[in-house]
Amino acid sequence: MESEKNDALVPEEQLNKSVEDTVDATPAANIEVVEEGNETSPAVDFSEEEAMLAAEEIDLGEEEETEDAAHPVVDYSGHSLQELVAALEAIVTNSSESPRREIEAIKIAFYKRLRVDVEAKKADFLKAGGEETEFKAPECPEEQTLKDLIMAYRNAKHLKGKEIEAEKENNYKEKLQILEELKVLSEGAEAHNHTYQEFRSLQNRWKEIGQVPQAHVKDLWDNYHYLVEKFYDYIKINRELRDLDLKKNYENKILLCEKAEELLLEPSAILSFQKLQKLHEQWREVGPVVKEFKETLWERFKEATSKINKKHQEYYDLQKEDQKKNLDAKTLLCEKAEELLENDPKSTKDWNKRSKDLIELQKVWKTIGFAPKKENPKIYQRFREACDAFFAKKREFYMQLKGQIEVNLQAKLELCAKAEEISASTDWKKATDELIALQKQWKEVGPVPRKHSDEVWKRFRAACDSFFNRKSEHFSGIDKLYEENLTAKEALIEEIKAFESSEDVMGSFEALKEFQRRWAEIGFVPMKDKERIQSTYREVIDAQFQKIKGTDAERKIGKFKGWVESNTGRGDKKFRAERDKLIGKIRQLESDISVWENNIGFFAKSKNADTMIKDVKNKINKAKEEITLIEEKINLIDSQLPE
């Protein structure tokens, strides 16, 4: 309340916020809210979920065992539809590795980009004056190309799978043959010098042969290890060479144990598990060791394996638990969204209130992670259908109010005419009050036809800007005085900073009140410095009061008493104004308490809301304490007012 100028002046930014941003909302399709006028309210972004839902419809087939979950995937978020199709084509035609995760990423990025492009075309269509119900998304040739490429990938994958299975069968037969040859070699009548070379040759052939069907893996390795150990027991020549081989195998298995133990320090449970599988493959390929070390080495390797497997299992168990909690939370939000469909509102105010409630649900939804993979598309589909149904009903309601929109246009045209008439006034106080009143009326008038929205708004804003610009020029002449006041206040702040309180609490208190009286006597400062200088003053004066003994509430009341005493005998206008302001603050706090208590009820059924409820209760308690303090201030003012 620095001056008439500072009280009444409504700058362009404030005007924009107070008028333009409060136009009633009309629902759009899916999970968005679009203003009836030319403005659009912030929509909750569900593009990721929509893209994943669309991508789910294009199946890539079963995931392969060889696919590495820890392998980084390219970020395709900035690619166009054409670039995404080109990237997919390059992967499908040229990739020698399993590209499934890369293709999944391209699918999701494609449908996310497609949705953005469609929404942009829709916005252009509506901007050109088209009706939302008449908009039809154009066909996308790139989408068909994407589906064709994925089908080609699936066919190639199917053929490759058949080839791999056939190759595994051949490998199985070759390894069976090697086992037979090992058996013959280890059961020969007499070992010769060339026997060991034959044995090494069979081992090398075994290692060179690729994978076999999973059903035969264990039996093959068990038989292989049995025959290898049997051979070492059988051979009687080249014992030095045999002992050297056993020592080398021992060193290799020690190294594998150490590598497995190092994996215990790997922070990624998935990566450590994948690396462990490769170590197990190497362990199987290493030959036998001296019998006295066989069990010791295996137990050491198995202990590290058990710990890594446990860590891996705990990771997935925790992930499953989190996803289950996410599913429960999203189910609750679905139920809340479905409740909003009951008992259709009868007024725009009620519709807007429910719209805000639904948007809050959408915002909460976005903070919750994914549900289990099987349930995630279903729960999102349920939530989306509830939102779609709500906005469809709201759209139907607004269609019925279309005639009212023309009435609103006429009302806003009349407000424009009044604003233009007032804009030439030089009675700054009266004209300011009248324009602010017109702005409030503007906010209360409903939406107008889209094609007239920009034009009528710009006309009204131009009239308001014209007046406030002239008013600003008029008051610019007093800026010099304000600068002098600013210098005086800055000097007083430095004086307050230098003040040292004494043991005489009341004396110090009176000295601080004197500072307050001097501050109040200094005039107004430039608007651009008002908040800064006031904030600095409050900081230093509060710091001085903080040094004086007494509770925080007592200090606040003491300061307020000083203000009351400094204004005693100057009439009751200031007291009444301050009293009205305090009463208004109490009402605001009571309103806030009501909202917070309502929020507690809203989240009462949620399993994960304990922390949020605790924070809200703390806010409520602080607000109630502040109300008690304000009531005491009101009593001090009342003591100075006539009966």
Side-chain angles (χ1 to χ4, degrees):
M1 299 186 297
E2 288 254 330
S3 70
E4 177 187 323
K5 171 187 174 183
N6 295 337
D7 267 342
L9 179 58
V10 182
E12 179 179 319
E13 294 80 1
Q14 182 181 341
L15 178 62
N16 294 346
K17 181 177 181 181
S18 62
V19 181
E20 189 176 23
D21 293 350
T22 54
V23 182
D24 286 341
T26 301
N30 298 325
I31 317 181
E32 297 179 343
V33 178
V34 179
E35 299 291 356
E36 180 66 30
N38 62 316
E39 298 299 315
T40 303
S41 66
V44 181
D45 181 14
F46 282 88
S47 56
E48 190 74 27
E49 286 87 344
E50 293 287 351
M52 292 183 69
L53 197 62
E56 285 282 343
E57 298 177 4
I58 307 178
D59 186 18
L60 298 183
E62 294 185 2
E63 190 169 355
E64 298 178 7
E65 295 178 3
T66 56
E67 293 178 4
D68 186 0
H71 182 71
V73 177
V74 175
D75 181 8
Y76 292 101
S77 58
H79 289 52
S80 66
L81 296 179
Q82 294 78 11
E83 290 171 337
L84 289 167
V85 169
L88 177 60
E89 184 175 11
I91 291 174
V92 171
T93 58
N94 302 324
S95 178
S96 59
E97 300 179 356
S98 178
R100 178 191 174 94
R101 293 181 67 245
E102 205 74 28
I103 294 176
E104 286 282 6
I106 291 176
K107 274 200 311 174
I108 293 173
F110 180 90
Y111 281 101
K112 191 172 182 180
R113 169 57 60 185
L114 180 60
R115 186 172 185 271
V116 170
D117 291 350
V118 170
E119 288 299 322
K121 288 182 174 67
K122 180 179 177 181
D124 291 340
F125 177 80
L126 297 176
K127 190 175 181 180
E131 292 294 332
E132 185 177 346
T133 53
E134 298 173 2
F135 176 76
K136 184 178 180 182
E139 292 186 5
C140 176
E142 290 83 5
E143 184 178 15
Q144 187 57 49
T145 305
L146 178 96
K147 292 180 178 179
D148 292 343
L149 286 170
I150 291 178
M151 181 57 69
Y153 161 75
R154 290 194 62 185
N155 292 338
K157 181 180 176 182
H158 180 68
L159 292 175
K160 183 181 177 182
K162 284 188 174 181
E163 293 173 359
I164 291 174
E165 289 304 316
E167 184 180 348
K168 286 181 178 180
E169 287 294 336
N170 289 332
N171 294 340
Y172 175 58
K173 293 176 182 178
E174 289 185 35
K175 288 199 171 185
L176 286 177
Q177 179 61 36
I178 292 175
L179 291 178
E180 287 298 322
E181 294 179 34
L182 276 173
K183 183 177 179 182
V184 171
L185 191 64
S186 61
E187 293 177 351
E190 184 178 352
H192 301 282
N193 288 331
H194 62 81
T195 304
Y196 193 79
Q197 281 70 31
E198 291 179 20
F199 171 72
R200 296 299 289 176
S201 176
L202 290 175
Q203 278 190 314
N204 290 334
R205 282 172 55 196
W206 179 275
K207 292 179 181 179
E208 291 170 0
I209 297 174
Q211 294 181 330
V212 301
Q214 188 64 33
H216 302 304
V217 171
K218 186 177 186 304
D219 288 342
L220 278 176
W221 278 107
D222 288 346
N223 289 330
Y224 175 76
H225 288 144
Y226 168 75
L227 290 172
V228 168
E229 291 187 15
K230 185 177 180 181
F231 173 80
Y232 277 105
D233 291 337
Y234 155 76
I235 192 168
K236 296 179 180 178
I237 60 173
N238 291 332
R239 284 192 174 274
E240 290 184 3
L241 188 60
R242 185 196 70 172
D243 292 343
L244 183 63
D245 200 29
L246 291 174
K247 180 181 178 183
K248 183 179 179 182
N249 294 341
Y250 173 79
E251 291 172 350
N252 287 337
K253 287 194 172 183
I254 285 287
L255 182 61
L256 290 175
C257 287
E258 291 173 350
K259 288 183 177 180
E261 289 162 352
E262 287 175 4
L263 289 179
L264 294 172
L265 303 177
E266 167 61 48
S268 171
I270 296 176
L271 191 58
S272 62
F273 181 79
Q274 290 176 342
K275 289 182 177 179
L276 179 66
Q277 308 316 305
K278 295 177 181 178
L279 294 182
H280 271 269
E281 291 175 7
Q282 296 173 34
W283 182 278
R284 285 197 294 262
E285 293 174 359
V286 176
V289 299
V290 178
K291 288 185 178 180
E292 63 181 290
F293 298 124
K294 179 180 176 181
E295 288 300 321
T296 304
L297 281 174
W298 171 243
E299 287 299 324
R300 179 180 174 184
F301 189 67
K302 188 171 70 171
E303 182 181 2
T305 295
S306 298
K307 291 179 180 179
I308 294 170
N309 286 338
K310 182 180 179 182
K311 181 180 177 183
H312 184 253
Q313 186 60 45
E314 288 174 349
Y315 169 79
Y316 277 103
D317 289 344
L318 181 61
Q319 193 175 55
K320 284 181 181 179
E321 184 180 347
D322 289 341
Q323 290 178 347
K324 177 62 171 62
K325 291 179 180 179
N326 293 341
L327 178 60
D328 293 340
K330 288 188 172 183
T331 300
L332 177 61
L333 292 178
C334 287
E335 293 170 356
K336 294 289 185 182
E338 288 160 357
E339 287 176 8
L340 293 175
L341 291 170
E342 301 173 1
N343 303 322
D344 294 348
K346 303 301 181 184
S347 68
T348 57
K349 182 178 179 181
D350 291 340
W351 271 112
N352 288 334
K353 182 181 182 303
R354 288 206 190 182
S355 295
K356 290 177 181 177
D357 291 342
L358 185 58
I359 291 173
E360 285 302 316
L361 293 180
Q362 293 176 357
K363 290 178 180 177
V364 173
W365 180 282
K366 290 297 292 182
T367 65
I368 301 173
F370 288 109
K373 187 175 182 180
K374 183 179 179 181
E375 301 296 331
N376 199 62
K378 296 178 183 178
I379 194 66
Y380 175 68
Q381 184 71 25
R382 177 181 174 184
F383 187 66
R384 188 178 72 170
E385 287 174 357
C387 294
D388 286 350
F390 175 86
F391 287 119
K393 283 187 175 184
K394 185 176 181 184
R395 185 162 51 252
E396 181 182 352
F397 172 81
Y398 273 87
M399 288 295 291
Q400 295 174 358
L401 291 179
K402 197 170 183 179
Q404 181 63 38
I405 291 177
E406 293 296 333
V407 176
N408 295 341
L409 175 60
Q410 186 58 39
K412 287 191 172 182
L413 288 173
E414 292 175 1
L415 291 175
C416 286
K418 291 179 180 178
E420 289 165 348
E421 181 180 350
I422 296 171
S423 66
S425 174
T426 56
D427 186 345
W428 308 114
K429 175 62 177 174
K430 179 181 177 184
T432 297
D433 292 342
E434 290 176 349
L435 272 181
I436 292 175
L438 291 183
Q439 290 175 5
K440 291 179 180 178
Q441 291 178 45
W442 183 279
K443 289 191 291 183
E444 293 168 358
V445 177
V448 301
R450 186 182 299 275
K451 61 184 177 180
H452 297 298
S453 180
D454 260 353
E455 178 186 353
V456 71
W457 163 244
K458 288 178 180 178
R459 179 181 171 186
F460 182 73
R461 175 174 170 176
C464 294
D465 286 350
S466 173
F467 171 79
F468 287 119
N469 288 339
R470 290 193 310 104
K471 180 179 177 181
S472 179
E473 292 174 2
H474 171 77
F475 281 98
S476 63
I478 62 174
D479 284 347
K480 183 178 179 181
L481 176 60
Y482 286 1
E483 289 290 346
E484 294 174 355
N485 294 340
L486 175 62
T487 302
K489 286 192 173 183
E490 288 175 338
L492 182 57
I493 287 174
E494 293 302 319
E495 191 176 341
I496 296 173
K497 286 180 180 179
F499 175 74
E500 293 290 341
S501 58
S502 64
E503 294 181 359
D504 181 3
V505 175
M506 290 307 298
S508 297
F509 189 77
E510 288 298 326
L512 292 180
K513 288 199 296 181
E514 178 61 25
F515 284 136
Q516 290 178 320
R517 282 193 290 272
R518 288 170 58 189
W519 179 272
E521 291 171 357
I522 300 175
F524 308 124
V525 301
M527 179 64 70
K528 63 184 178 65
D529 297 299
K530 177 182 176 182
E531 185 176 348
R532 176 187 62 80
I533 196 69
Q534 188 67 20
S535 175
T536 304
Y537 165 71
R538 286 173 182 162
E539 182 180 340
V540 297
I541 198 71
D542 287 347
Q544 291 293 355
F545 273 111
Q546 189 69 27
K547 296 177 182 178
I548 301 176
K549 294 181 180 180
T551 65
D552 184 58
E554 289 171 346
R555 284 195 297 274
K556 289 180 179 178
I557 290 299
K559 287 167 63 179
F560 193 76
K561 283 180 179 178
W563 179 83
V564 170
E565 291 174 5
S566 66
N567 286 283
T568 300
R570 299 184 180 183
D572 59 3
K573 185 176 180 180
K574 273 194 175 183
F575 288 139
R576 293 190 184 280
E578 182 67 17
R579 189 181 192 281
D580 291 342
K581 186 174 78 173
L582 292 174
I583 293 221
K585 193 168 183 181
I586 287 178
R587 290 173 180 167
Q588 180 60 50
L589 288 170
E590 289 173 342
S591 174
D592 291 343
I593 290 172
S594 177
V595 171
W596 292 330
E597 289 175 342
N598 183 57
N599 287 345
I600 290 176
F602 177 77
F603 284 101
K605 297 181 181 179
S606 175
K607 298 179 180 178
N608 304 317
D610 292 344
T611 302
M612 185 178 296
I613 291 175
K614 183 178 179 181
D615 291 341
V616 172
K617 286 183 175 179
N618 287 338
K619 289 182 180 179
I620 292 173
N621 291 334
K622 288 181 179 179
K624 288 180 177 180
E625 290 174 1
E626 190 171 352
I627 287 175
T628 301
L629 182 63
I630 293 173
E631 287 174 343
E632 190 171 346
K633 289 182 178 181
I634 292 173
N635 290 335
L636 287 172
I637 291 176
D638 288 345
S639 68
Q640 300 297 321
L641 295 175
E643 293 291 336

